């Protein structure tokens, strides 16, 4: 059963850091590009970051560039999102997502995690 | 950056209705367009990719068409489980989602 499970969310003060994890199972994690997508309360979907299957290529949305870092550990089947200098506008449900085609980084998402809430508030 | 728009933003319909949602891109994205369905409190689910390819397991009442800058998602006969929000997504240049179309009960 293909599954993605996020963890690490919570309430954090502005300017602080948080690291999200996404544990993958049921597929060959090292063969797929992985993404983070977020959704602010009551709002639409916003793409955040992508990391290629081998970790060599990564891209970020302008809204998080320089503050967030995407990484992966293929030996642990886990994707990460290190979030620094958090702002109130980063408050959202964060989803990790797997791309449809092997070896592609930019592609559609066929599997999503359940989402994890991050609240940035003093 | 490629901007995506959707119309309408909200659509009221009844079970059995034919429903059409339009998505427009700010520049040519060929057929690099996907559609997702999202229900409240749930993660989105992929319906259509490459503008018209049906994802495995998705009912055939869902169909997609278009290329270039204008695309449509059609639900041929709306079912109770189809009341949800629908998002288009371009993936020609990085990724951008449309603002969403909420389909609710008339």
């Amino acid at each position: 059963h293909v599954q993605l499970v996020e963890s690490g969310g919570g309430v954090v003060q502005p300017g602080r850091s948080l690291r999200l994890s996404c544990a993958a199972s049921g597929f060959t994690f090292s063969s797929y590009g992985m993404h983070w997508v977020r959704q602010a309360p009551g709002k639409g979907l916003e793409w955040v970051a992508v990391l290629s299957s081998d970790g060599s290529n990564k891209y970020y949305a302008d809204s998080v560039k320089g503050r967030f870092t995407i990484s992966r550990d293929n030996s642990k089947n886990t994707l990460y999102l290190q979030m620094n200098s958090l702002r109130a506008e980063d408050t959202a449900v964060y989803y990790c997502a797997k791309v449809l085609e092997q070896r592609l980084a930019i592609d559609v998402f066929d599997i999503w995690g359940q989402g994890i809430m991050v609240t940035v508030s003093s | 950056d490629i901007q995506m728009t959707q119309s309408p933003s909200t659509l009221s319909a009844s079970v059995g209705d034919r429903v059409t949602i339009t998505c427009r891109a700010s520049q040519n994205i060929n057929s690099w367009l996907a559609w997702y369905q999202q229900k409240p409190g749930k993660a989105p689910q992929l319906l259509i990719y490459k503008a018209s390819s049906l994802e495995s397991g998705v009912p055939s009442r869902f169909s997609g068409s278009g290329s270039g800058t204008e695309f449509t998602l059609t639900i041929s006969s709306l079912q109770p489980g189809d009341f949800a929000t629908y998002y288009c997504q371009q993936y020609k240049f990085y990724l951008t989602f449309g603002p969403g179309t909420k389909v609710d009960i008339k």
Side-chain angles (χ1 to χ4, degrees):
Chain A
H1 177 58
V2 178
Q3 193 174 12
L4 297 171
V5 179
E6 299 96 340
S7 61
V11 180
V12 60
Q13 293 178 328
R16 303 298 291 266
S17 299
L18 203 61
R19 188 177 83 156
L20 303 183
S21 299
C22 170
S25 60
F27 66 100
T28 305
F29 180 71
S30 59
S31 294
Y32 292 88
M34 295 292 296
H35 294 247
W36 289 98
V37 176
R38 68 184 181 183
Q39 187 169 34
K43 302 297 184 183
L45 300 168
E46 180 188 16
W47 171 74
V48 172
V50 57
L51 183 59
S52 59
S53 57
D54 63 359
S56 61
N57 294 295
K58 56 184 74 173
Y59 305 100
Y60 300 91
D62 288 344
S63 58
V64 306
K65 202 174 295 182
R67 300 187 300 122
F68 289 12
T69 301
I70 188 171
S71 62
R72 66 193 295 161
D73 186 337
N74 285 344
S75 68
K76 295 182 178 179
N77 291 342
T78 304
L79 178 74
Y80 302 100
L81 185 67
Q82 177 67 43
M83 304 184 293
N84 298 332
S85 303
L86 282 161
R87 306 167 179 167
E89 54 265 36
D90 296 319
T91 295
V93 173
Y94 284 74
Y95 297 99
C96 60
K98 165 192 168 292
V99 300
L100 179 63
E101 294 287 343
Q102 288 192 37
R103 306 301 174 191
L104 292 182
I106 303 299
D107 196 16
V108 299
F109 309 140
D110 65 334
I111 302 295
W112 297 65
Q114 84 285 358
I116 191 85
M117 185 70 204
V118 172
T119 302
V120 184
S121 174
S122 53
Chain B
D1 290 8
I2 299 176
Q3 309 302 319
M4 307 299 292
T5 60
Q6 288 183 233
S7 60
S9 55
T10 304
L11 187 161
S12 296
S14 302
V15 172
D17 283 354
R18 182 181 180 88
V19 166
T20 298
I21 299 168
T22 298
C23 175
R24 290 184 175 86
S26 60
Q27 58 187 271
N28 182 12
I29 58 169
N30 302 111
S31 295
W32 302 112
L33 191 284
W35 291 96
Y36 297 85
Q37 176 193 71
Q38 187 180 33
K39 297 180 180 179
K42 300 293 187 182
Q45 286 192 297
L46 178 64
L47 299 175
I48 302 283
Y49 61 98
K50 286 182 187 172
S52 61
S53 295
L54 194 67
E55 167 68 345
S56 175
V58 174
S60 58
R61 64 179 178 273
F62 292 93
S63 64
S65 64
S67 67
T69 62
E70 187 157 333
F71 303 85
T72 59
L73 172 71
T74 300
I75 309 172
S76 60
S77 178
L78 199 65
Q79 298 303 300
D82 300 338
F83 292 100
T85 300
Y86 294 85
Y87 294 94
C88 62
Q89 176 207 44
Q90 70 81 20
Y91 54 109
K92 177 176 173 66
F93 182 71
Y94 297 120
L95 300 107
T96 316
F97 289 95
T101 295
K102 184 177 181 180
V103 177
D104 63 18
I105 301 173
K106 183 184 287 184

